[in-house]
Amino acid sequence: MTDNKRVVLASRPNPNVSLDNFRLETAALTPLGDGEVRVRNHYLSLDPYMRGRMSDAKNYAAPQALDAVMIGGTVGDVVESRNPAWTVGDKVVGIGGWQEFTTSAGADMRKIQGTAIPLSAYLGSVGMPGVTAWYGLNRICKVTAGETIVVSAASGAVGSVVGQLAKMKGARVVGIAGGPEKCAYVTETLGFDACVDYKAGALDSDLEAATPKGIDAYFENVGGEATKVVIQRINAFGRIAVCGLISIYDNTAPTAIDFRRVLIQRLTIEGFIVSEHMEVWPEALKELGALVATGKLQFRESIADGLASAPEAFLGLLKGKNFGKQLVKLI
Amino acid sequence: MTDNKRVVLASRPNPNVSLDNFRLETAALTPLGDGEVRVRNHYLSLDPYMRGRMSDAKNYAAPQALDAVMIGGTVGDVVESRNPAWTVGDKVVGIGGWQEFTTSAGADMRKIQGTAIPLSAYLGSVGMPGVTAWYGLNRICKVTAGETIVVSAASGAVGSVVGQLAKMKGARVVGIAGGPEKCAYVTETLGFDACVDYKAGALDSDLEAATPKGIDAYFENVGGEATKVVIQRINAFGRIAVCGLISIYDNTAPTAIDFRRVLIQRLTIEGFIVSEHMEVWPEALKELGALVATGKLQFRESIADGLASAPEAFLGLLKGKNFGKQLVKLI
């Protein structure tokens, strides 16, 4: 245990993300200072929000600094500690970054208790993506029994949780996903009522067929064509939770929507970032943890092998090549 | 008092409203039935919502029936009554329609008490437009002292109230209006901090100059270019109350907005119809009535003379030719 491999941001997207925006480095681990703790990271989470941090455009968060370790959620265990709050062997989830070992004062991480939940799930359904789903569904979409909700990126880390929670509330749940394999997973394993394959080229008519009573709520993860089509089918007092816009992050062209629908249907469209709503995390994590521990919430992971594979896996995530929560297995 | 003049909907806009969509008719007044009351209407209110009712497209309200009297708010006085709740001489505000006399069971009207408020104001600042302003400002825009709010159609019946109420809350208030005369009125008489003349052809840079700290809330009355420009300058957690879209009612082309701003700035965009929020009317009317009675809320009226002039005045309203609340003086 003398070296740490890490991935830093080498340059900014121009305008698309490419492999040469990243640089893999190796640095020697130095002795811990007083109060420090060292974690060996087992899994790194790759998430769409990282795309925003890579640019230096005005955004909701400070941009990722060049030549610094890429931001990212991690799970691991404490391997060395000079901090009385942490003991070797503690399982932790935190913002450890794209690296094998994280050395810190322990402020950005919390201990994982119990064993009924797989460690990696703390980066997915029982972590930030799960709470994101919970917040957008419960605080913005607010679906009730009998209503119809549409969820884009339905097989993904967030969308899969949204749909399953909405089913538990008695809603009709329609996913949008790319390709027949993902759609089959969404309906057969996740239990959505229907799933529209946007790659089939008939999003408009397919969504119409899948939502005979219109759409009461939309959980937006992708943007672009999906937004336009959903707005045309949305019912009075419809709610749109804007969680992600993965299809247009690289695209500066505006989205041409029929804005009159906002008034005619008295819509509420609300963008949110889950890290600004920390007050819901305890309640959400408790509920999500119980559902995963008892097998009531299904999830799927795409696991890339080794830190060196992280940049390519991240590019794949932005293009929808992942299938379920995208992780990188570290050490 | 034997004849009633009225304006009916003769045909639907195709796609623009034109004078031949209306027909002026004269019909004999018949004797009142038991329980009926007859009101002589002094003023008719012309409002943008009427445009929506003229089309039979799916909308939030049932379309105006062909050959029926056009819907519209009125103030007048009771001239004949066979209903014990109403006495000859009562001043009333109601939905009397585009006609000189309204005969009804009295369900759609209420008595006006006191004399400190001009009768016509019950169709403007102390009526539906005023409550519309009050609701959108207090329930959606929620501006606080030091924030910046932009109000389009700022010299109009709704916008003028929004801006004055926002000033009372200590906000920086910036109007958008058409032409130097309206802009001068907005700043000098209504007391807005600034007003941008959209007809000057530099909406983007002029709005930038008028909102040095960005925009925290936007009261949307017009749609189109204003929407696009405001969204580019809106601050984090910005609120957009979509009250009207007068510039695009006849326009089926979509509005190309940078939808990424909804997420990046965590915006809330909310369309509303004040008639669906009757619970706020008593509180709002009480506040607005007190402000008008004590001279703290300024308003201006454009008054067309005689029912026959109503269709042309309505077309002018849709094109922004009115200056302040558009009324028609009846009899």
Side-chain angles (χ1 to χ4, degrees), chain A residues 110-187:
Chain A
R110 61 186 170 83
K111 273 179 222 184
I112 292 170
Q113 314 285 359
T115 56
I117 299 169
L119 199 59
S120 62
Y122 289 95
L123 297 177
S125 302
V126 191
M128 185 273 287
V131 180
T132 300
W134 191 98
Y135 183 88
L137 180 68
N138 289 303
R139 293 291 191 265
I140 302 175
C141 290
K142 297 175 190 164
V143 287
T144 54
E147 287 194 320
T148 297
I149 181 172
V150 171
V151 185
S152 56
S155 69
V158 174
S160 61
V161 177
V162 173
Q164 291 177 90
L165 294 180
K167 276 303 293 178
M168 294 174 199
K169 293 177 189 295
R172 174 173 174 81
V173 181
V174 176
I176 299 175
E181 195 189 2
K182 285 183 179 175
C183 278
Y185 169 72
V186 165
T187 53

Coordinates of all heavy atoms in Angstrom, one line a residue, chain A residues 110-187:
Chain A
R110 N -19.7 8.8 5.7 CA -20.5 8.3 6.8 C -20.3 6.8 6.9 O -20.1 6.1 5.9 CB -21.9 8.8 6.8 CG -22.7 8.3 5.6 CD -24.1 8.9 5.5 NE -24.7 8.6 4.2 CZ -25.3 7.4 3.9 NH1 -25.4 6.5 4.9 NH2 -25.8 7.2 2.7
K111 N -20.5 6.3 8.1 CA -20.4 4.8 8.3 C -21.6 4.1 7.8 O -22.7 4.6 7.9 CB -20.2 4.5 9.8 CG -18.7 4.6 10.2 CD -18.6 4.3 11.7 CE -17.6 5.3 12.3 NZ -17.2 5.1 13.7
I112 N -21.4 2.9 7.3 CA -22.5 2.1 6.9 C -22.7 1.0 8.0 O -21.8 0.3 8.4 CB -22.2 1.3 5.6 CG1 -22.1 2.4 4.4 CG2 -23.2 0.3 5.3 CD1 -21.5 1.8 3.1
Q113 N -24.0 0.9 8.4 CA -24.3 0.0 9.5 C -25.1 -1.2 8.9 O -25.8 -1.0 7.9 CB -25.3 0.7 10.5 CG -24.8 2.0 11.0 CD -23.6 2.0 12.0 OE1 -23.1 0.9 12.3 NE2 -23.1 3.2 12.3
G114 N -24.9 -2.4 9.4 CA -25.7 -3.5 9.0 C -25.2 -4.2 7.8 O -24.2 -3.7 7.1
T115 N -25.7 -5.3 7.4 CA -25.2 -6.1 6.3 C -26.2 -6.6 5.3 O -25.9 -7.3 4.4 CB -24.4 -7.3 6.9 OG1 -25.4 -8.0 7.7 CG2 -23.3 -6.9 7.8
A116 N -27.5 -6.2 5.5 CA -28.5 -6.7 4.6 C -28.5 -6.0 3.2 O -29.2 -6.5 2.3 CB -29.9 -6.5 5.3
I117 N -27.7 -5.0 3.1 CA -27.7 -4.2 1.8 C -26.3 -4.3 1.2 O -25.3 -4.1 1.9 CB -28.0 -2.8 2.1 CG1 -29.5 -2.7 2.7 CG2 -27.9 -1.9 0.8 CD1 -29.8 -1.3 3.2
P118 N -26.2 -4.7 0.0 CA -24.8 -4.8 -0.7 C -24.2 -3.4 -0.6 O -24.8 -2.4 -0.8 CB -25.1 -5.2 -2.1 CG -26.6 -5.7 -2.1 CD -27.3 -5.0 -1.0
L119 N -22.9 -3.4 -0.4 CA -22.1 -2.2 -0.3 C -22.4 -1.3 -1.5 O -22.6 -0.1 -1.3 CB -20.6 -2.5 -0.2 CG -19.7 -1.5 0.3 CD1 -20.1 -1.1 1.8 CD2 -18.2 -2.0 0.3
S120 N -22.4 -1.8 -2.7 CA -22.5 -1.0 -3.9 C -23.9 -0.3 -4.0 O -24.0 0.8 -4.6 CB -22.3 -1.8 -5.2 OG -23.4 -2.8 -5.2
A121 N -24.9 -0.8 -3.3 CA -26.2 -0.2 -3.4 C -26.2 1.2 -2.7 O -27.1 2.0 -3.0 CB -27.2 -1.1 -2.7
Y122 N -25.2 1.4 -1.8 CA -25.1 2.8 -1.2 C -24.7 3.9 -2.2 O -24.8 5.0 -1.9 CB -24.2 2.7 0.0 CG -24.7 2.0 1.1 CD1 -24.4 0.6 1.3 CD2 -25.6 2.6 2.0 CE1 -25.0 -0.1 2.4 CE2 -26.2 1.9 3.1 CZ -25.9 0.5 3.2 OH -26.4 -0.2 4.3
L123 N -24.3 3.4 -3.4 CA -24.0 4.4 -4.5 C -25.2 4.5 -5.4 O -25.2 5.2 -6.4 CB -22.8 4.0 -5.2 CG -21.5 4.0 -4.4 CD1 -20.3 3.5 -5.2 CD2 -21.2 5.4 -3.8
G124 N -26.2 3.7 -5.2 CA -27.3 3.6 -6.1 C -28.7 3.8 -5.4 O -29.0 4.9 -4.9
S125 N -29.4 2.8 -5.3 CA -30.8 2.9 -4.8 C -30.9 3.4 -3.3 O -31.8 4.0 -2.9 CB -31.5 1.5 -4.9 OG -31.5 1.1 -6.2
V126 N -29.8 3.1 -2.6 CA -29.8 3.5 -1.2 C -28.7 4.7 -1.0 O -28.1 4.9 0.0 CB -29.5 2.3 -0.2 CG1 -29.7 2.7 1.2 CG2 -30.4 1.2 -0.6
G127 N -28.5 5.4 -2.1 CA -27.6 6.5 -2.1 C -28.2 7.7 -2.8 O -29.4 7.9 -2.9
M128 N -27.3 8.5 -3.3 CA -27.7 9.7 -4.0 C -28.7 9.5 -5.1 O -29.7 10.2 -5.2 CB -26.4 10.5 -4.5 CG -26.7 11.8 -5.2 SD -27.1 11.7 -6.9 CE -25.5 11.3 -7.6
P129 N -28.5 8.5 -6.0 CA -29.6 8.3 -7.1 C -30.9 8.0 -6.5 O -32.0 8.5 -6.9 CB -29.0 7.2 -7.9 CG -27.5 7.3 -7.7 CD -27.4 7.7 -6.2
G130 N -30.9 7.1 -5.4 CA -32.2 6.8 -4.8 C -32.9 7.9 -4.2 O -34.1 8.1 -4.3
V131 N -32.1 8.8 -3.5 CA -32.7 9.9 -2.8 C -33.2 10.9 -3.9 O -34.2 11.6 -3.7 CB -31.8 10.6 -1.8 CG1 -32.4 11.8 -1.2 CG2 -31.3 9.6 -0.8
T132 N -32.5 11.0 -5.0 CA -32.9 11.9 -6.1 C -34.3 11.5 -6.6 O -35.2 12.3 -6.8 CB -31.9 11.8 -7.2 OG1 -30.6 12.3 -6.7 CG2 -32.3 12.7 -8.4
A133 N -34.4 10.2 -6.8 CA -35.7 9.6 -7.2 C -36.8 9.9 -6.2 O -37.9 10.4 -6.6 CB -35.6 8.1 -7.4
W134 N -36.5 9.7 -5.0 CA -37.5 9.9 -3.9 C -37.9 11.3 -3.8 O -39.1 11.6 -3.7 CB -36.8 9.4 -2.6 CG -37.7 9.3 -1.4 CD1 -38.3 8.2 -0.9 CD2 -38.2 10.4 -0.5 NE1 -39.1 8.5 0.2 CE2 -39.0 9.8 0.4 CE3 -38.0 11.8 -0.5 CZ2 -39.6 10.6 1.4 CZ3 -38.6 12.5 0.5 CH2 -39.4 11.9 1.4
Y135 N -37.0 12.2 -3.9 CA -37.3 13.7 -3.8 C -38.2 14.1 -4.9 O -39.3 14.7 -4.8 CB -36.1 14.5 -3.7 CG -36.4 16.0 -3.5 CD1 -36.6 16.5 -2.3 CD2 -36.6 16.8 -4.6 CE1 -36.9 17.9 -2.1 CE2 -37.0 18.2 -4.5 CZ -37.1 18.7 -3.2 OH -37.5 20.0 -3.0
G136 N -37.7 13.8 -6.1 CA -38.5 14.3 -7.3 C -39.9 13.7 -7.4 O -40.8 14.4 -7.8
L137 N -40.0 12.4 -7.0 CA -41.3 11.8 -7.0 C -42.2 12.3 -5.9 O -43.4 12.7 -6.2 CB -41.2 10.3 -6.8 CG -42.5 9.5 -6.8 CD1 -43.1 9.5 -8.2 CD2 -42.3 8.0 -6.4
N138 N -41.7 12.4 -4.7 CA -42.6 12.8 -3.5 C -42.8 14.3 -3.4 O -43.8 14.7 -2.9 CB -42.0 12.2 -2.2 CG -42.1 10.7 -2.2 OD1 -43.2 10.2 -2.3 ND2 -41.0 10.0 -2.1
R139 N -41.8 15.0 -3.8 CA -41.9 16.5 -3.6 C -42.4 17.2 -4.8 O -42.9 18.4 -4.7 CB -40.6 17.0 -3.1 CG -40.2 16.5 -1.7 CD -41.1 17.1 -0.6 NE -40.6 16.8 0.8 CZ -40.9 15.8 1.5 NH1 -41.8 14.9 1.1 NH2 -40.4 15.6 2.7
I140 N -42.2 16.7 -6.0 CA -42.6 17.4 -7.2 C -43.7 16.7 -8.0 O -44.7 17.2 -8.2 CB -41.3 17.7 -8.1 CG1 -40.3 18.5 -7.3 CG2 -41.8 18.5 -9.3 CD1 -39.0 18.8 -8.0
C141 N -43.4 15.4 -8.3 CA -44.4 14.7 -9.1 C -45.6 14.4 -8.3 O -46.7 14.4 -8.9 CB -43.8 13.4 -9.7 SG -42.5 13.7 -10.9
K142 N -45.5 14.0 -7.1 CA -46.6 13.8 -6.2 C -47.7 13.0 -6.8 O -48.9 13.4 -6.8 CB -47.2 15.1 -5.7 CG -46.2 16.0 -4.9 CD -46.9 17.4 -4.7 CE -45.8 18.4 -4.1 NZ -46.3 19.8 -4.1
V143 N -47.4 11.8 -7.4 CA -48.4 11.0 -8.0 C -49.3 10.3 -7.0 O -48.8 9.9 -6.0 CB -47.8 10.0 -9.0 CG1 -47.3 10.6 -10.2 CG2 -46.9 9.1 -8.3
T144 N -50.5 10.2 -7.4 CA -51.5 9.5 -6.5 C -52.0 8.3 -7.3 O -51.8 8.2 -8.5 CB -52.6 10.4 -6.1 OG1 -53.2 11.0 -7.3 CG2 -52.1 11.5 -5.2
A145 N -52.7 7.4 -6.6 CA -53.2 6.2 -7.2 C -54.1 6.5 -8.4 O -54.9 7.4 -8.3 CB -54.0 5.4 -6.2
G146 N -53.9 5.8 -9.5 CA -54.7 6.1 -10.7 C -54.1 7.1 -11.7 O -54.5 7.1 -12.8
E147 N -53.2 7.9 -11.2 CA -52.5 8.8 -12.1 C -51.5 8.1 -13.0 O -51.1 7.0 -12.7 CB -51.9 9.9 -11.4 CG -52.8 10.9 -10.7 CD -52.2 12.2 -10.3 OE1 -51.0 12.1 -9.7 OE2 -52.7 13.3 -10.5
T148 N -51.1 8.8 -14.1 CA -50.1 8.2 -15.0 C -48.8 9.0 -14.8 O -48.8 10.3 -15.0 CB -50.5 8.2 -16.4 OG1 -51.7 7.4 -16.6 CG2 -49.4 7.7 -17.4
I149 N -47.7 8.4 -14.6 CA -46.4 9.0 -14.6 C -45.5 8.4 -15.6 O -45.5 7.2 -15.8 CB -45.7 9.0 -13.2 CG1 -44.4 9.7 -13.2 CG2 -45.5 7.5 -12.7 CD1 -43.7 9.9 -11.8
V150 N -44.8 9.3 -16.3 CA -43.8 8.9 -17.3 C -42.4 9.1 -16.7 O -42.2 10.2 -16.1 CB -44.0 9.6 -18.7 CG1 -42.8 9.3 -19.6 CG2 -45.3 9.2 -19.3
V151 N -41.5 8.2 -16.9 CA -40.1 8.3 -16.4 C -39.2 8.0 -17.5 O -39.2 7.0 -18.1 CB -39.9 7.2 -15.3 CG1 -38.5 7.4 -14.7 CG2 -41.0 7.3 -14.2
S152 N -38.3 9.0 -17.8 CA -37.3 8.8 -18.9 C -36.0 8.2 -18.2 O -35.9 8.3 -17.0 CB -37.0 10.0 -19.7 OG -36.6 11.1 -18.8
A153 N -35.2 7.6 -19.1 CA -34.0 6.9 -18.6 C -34.5 5.9 -17.5 O -34.0 5.8 -16.4 CB -32.9 7.8 -18.0
A154 N -35.5 5.1 -17.9 CA -36.3 4.3 -16.9 C -35.5 3.2 -16.3 O -35.8 2.7 -15.2 CB -37.6 3.8 -17.6
S155 N -34.5 2.7 -17.1 CA -33.7 1.5 -16.5 C -32.5 2.0 -15.7 O -31.8 1.2 -15.2 CB -33.2 0.7 -17.7 OG -32.2 1.3 -18.5
G156 N -32.3 3.3 -15.7 CA -31.1 3.9 -15.0 C -31.3 3.9 -13.5 O -32.3 3.5 -12.9
A157 N -30.2 4.4 -12.8 CA -30.1 4.3 -11.4 C -31.2 5.1 -10.7 O -31.8 4.7 -9.7 CB -28.8 4.9 -10.9
V158 N -31.6 6.3 -11.3 CA -32.6 7.1 -10.7 C -34.0 6.6 -11.2 O -34.9 6.4 -10.5 CB -32.4 8.6 -11.1 CG1 -33.6 9.4 -10.6 CG2 -31.1 9.1 -10.5
G159 N -34.2 6.5 -12.6 CA -35.4 6.2 -13.2 C -36.0 4.9 -12.6 O -37.2 4.8 -12.4
S160 N -35.2 3.9 -12.4 CA -35.7 2.6 -12.0 C -36.3 2.7 -10.6 O -37.3 2.1 -10.3 CB -34.6 1.6 -11.9 OG -33.5 2.0 -11.1
V161 N -35.7 3.6 -9.7 CA -36.3 3.8 -8.4 C -37.6 4.6 -8.5 O -38.6 4.3 -7.8 CB -35.3 4.5 -7.5 CG1 -35.9 4.7 -6.1 CG2 -34.0 3.6 -7.3
V162 N -37.6 5.6 -9.3 CA -38.8 6.4 -9.5 C -40.0 5.6 -9.8 O -41.1 5.6 -9.2 CB -38.6 7.5 -10.6 CG1 -40.0 8.2 -10.8 CG2 -37.5 8.5 -10.2
G163 N -39.8 4.7 -10.8 CA -40.9 3.9 -11.3 C -41.4 2.9 -10.3 O -42.6 2.7 -10.1
Q164 N -40.5 2.3 -9.6 CA -40.9 1.3 -8.6 C -41.6 1.9 -7.4 O -42.6 1.4 -7.0 CB -39.7 0.5 -8.1 CG -39.1 -0.5 -9.2 CD -37.9 -1.2 -8.7 OE1 -38.0 -2.3 -8.2 NE2 -36.7 -0.6 -9.0
L165 N -41.2 3.1 -7.0 CA -41.8 3.8 -5.9 C -43.2 4.2 -6.4 O -44.2 4.2 -5.6 CB -41.0 5.0 -5.4 CG -39.7 4.7 -4.7 CD1 -39.0 6.0 -4.3 CD2 -39.9 3.8 -3.5
A166 N -43.3 4.7 -7.6 CA -44.6 5.2 -8.1 C -45.6 4.0 -8.3 O -46.8 4.2 -8.0 CB -44.4 5.9 -9.5
K167 N -45.1 2.8 -8.6 CA -46.0 1.7 -8.7 C -46.6 1.4 -7.3 O -47.7 1.0 -7.1 CB -45.2 0.4 -9.2 CG -45.1 0.3 -10.7 CD -46.4 0.2 -11.4 CE -47.3 -1.0 -11.1 NZ -48.6 -0.9 -11.8
M168 N -45.7 1.5 -6.3 CA -46.2 1.2 -4.9 C -47.3 2.2 -4.5 O -48.1 1.9 -3.6 CB -45.0 1.3 -3.9 CG -44.0 0.3 -4.1 SD -42.5 0.5 -3.0 CE -41.3 -0.5 -3.9
K169 N -47.3 3.4 -5.1 CA -48.4 4.4 -4.8 C -49.6 4.1 -5.7 O -50.6 4.9 -5.6 CB -47.8 5.8 -5.1 CG -46.7 6.2 -4.1 CD -46.2 7.6 -4.5 CE -44.9 7.9 -3.7 NZ -45.2 8.0 -2.2
G170 N -49.6 3.1 -6.5 CA -50.8 2.8 -7.3 C -50.9 3.6 -8.6 O -52.0 3.6 -9.2
A171 N -49.9 4.2 -9.0 CA -49.9 4.9 -10.3 C -49.7 4.0 -11.5 O -49.1 2.9 -11.3 CB -48.8 6.0 -10.3
R172 N -50.1 4.4 -12.7 CA -49.7 3.8 -13.9 C -48.4 4.4 -14.3 O -48.2 5.6 -14.4 CB -50.7 4.1 -15.0 CG -50.3 3.5 -16.4 CD -51.3 3.6 -17.5 NE -50.8 3.2 -18.7 CZ -50.7 1.9 -19.1 NH1 -51.1 1.0 -18.3 NH2 -50.2 1.6 -20.3
V173 N -47.4 3.5 -14.5 CA -46.0 3.9 -14.7 C -45.5 3.5 -16.1 O -45.5 2.3 -16.4 CB -45.1 3.3 -13.6 CG1 -43.7 3.8 -13.8 CG2 -45.6 3.7 -12.2
V174 N -45.1 4.5 -16.8 CA -44.6 4.3 -18.2 C -43.2 4.7 -18.3 O -42.9 5.9 -18.0 CB -45.5 5.0 -19.2 CG1 -45.0 4.8 -20.6 CG2 -47.0 4.5 -19.1
G175 N -42.3 3.9 -18.7 CA -40.9 4.2 -18.8 C -40.6 4.6 -20.3 O -41.3 4.3 -21.2
I176 N -39.5 5.4 -20.4 CA -38.9 5.6 -21.7 C -37.4 5.1 -21.6 O -36.7 5.5 -20.6 CB -38.9 7.1 -22.1 CG1 -40.3 7.6 -22.2 CG2 -38.1 7.3 -23.4 CD1 -40.4 9.1 -22.5
A177 N -37.0 4.2 -22.5 CA -35.6 3.7 -22.4 C -35.2 3.4 -23.8 O -36.0 3.4 -24.8 CB -35.6 2.4 -21.6
G178 N -33.9 3.1 -24.0 CA -33.3 2.9 -25.3 C -33.1 1.4 -25.6 O -32.1 0.8 -25.1
G179 N -33.9 0.9 -26.5 CA -33.7 -0.5 -27.0 C -34.6 -1.5 -26.3 O -35.1 -1.3 -25.2
P180 N -34.8 -2.6 -27.0 CA -35.8 -3.6 -26.5 C -35.3 -4.3 -25.3 O -36.1 -4.7 -24.4 CB -35.9 -4.6 -27.7 CG -34.8 -4.3 -28.6 CD -34.4 -2.9 -28.4
E181 N -34.0 -4.5 -25.1 CA -33.5 -5.2 -23.9 C -33.8 -4.4 -22.6 O -34.3 -4.9 -21.7 CB -32.0 -5.4 -24.1 CG -31.5 -6.5 -23.1 CD -29.9 -6.5 -23.1 OE1 -29.3 -5.7 -23.8 OE2 -29.4 -7.3 -22.3
K182 N -33.5 -3.1 -22.7 CA -33.8 -2.2 -21.5 C -35.3 -2.2 -21.3 O -35.7 -2.2 -20.1 CB -33.2 -0.8 -21.7 CG -31.7 -0.8 -21.6 CD -31.2 0.7 -21.7 CE -29.7 0.7 -21.5 NZ -29.1 2.1 -21.8
C183 N -36.1 -2.0 -22.3 CA -37.5 -2.0 -22.2 C -38.1 -3.2 -21.5 O -39.0 -3.2 -20.7 CB -38.2 -1.6 -23.5 SG -38.2 0.1 -23.9
A184 N -37.6 -4.4 -21.9 CA -38.0 -5.6 -21.4 C -37.7 -5.7 -19.9 O -38.5 -6.1 -19.0 CB -37.4 -6.8 -22.1
Y185 N -36.5 -5.2 -19.5 CA -36.1 -5.2 -18.1 C -37.1 -4.2 -17.3 O -37.5 -4.6 -16.2 CB -34.7 -4.7 -18.0 CG -34.2 -4.3 -16.6 CD1 -34.0 -5.3 -15.7 CD2 -34.0 -3.0 -16.3 CE1 -33.6 -5.0 -14.4 CE2 -33.6 -2.6 -15.0 CZ -33.4 -3.6 -14.1 OH -32.9 -3.3 -12.8
V186 N -37.4 -3.1 -17.9 CA -38.2 -2.1 -17.2 C -39.6 -2.7 -16.9 O -40.1 -2.5 -15.8 CB -38.3 -0.8 -18.1 CG1 -39.4 0.1 -17.6 CG2 -36.9 -0.1 -18.0
T187 N -40.2 -3.4 -17.8 CA -41.5 -3.9 -17.6 C -41.5 -5.2 -16.8 O -42.2 -5.4 -15.8 CB -42.3 -4.1 -18.9 OG1 -41.5 -4.9 -19.8 CG2 -42.6 -2.8 -19.6

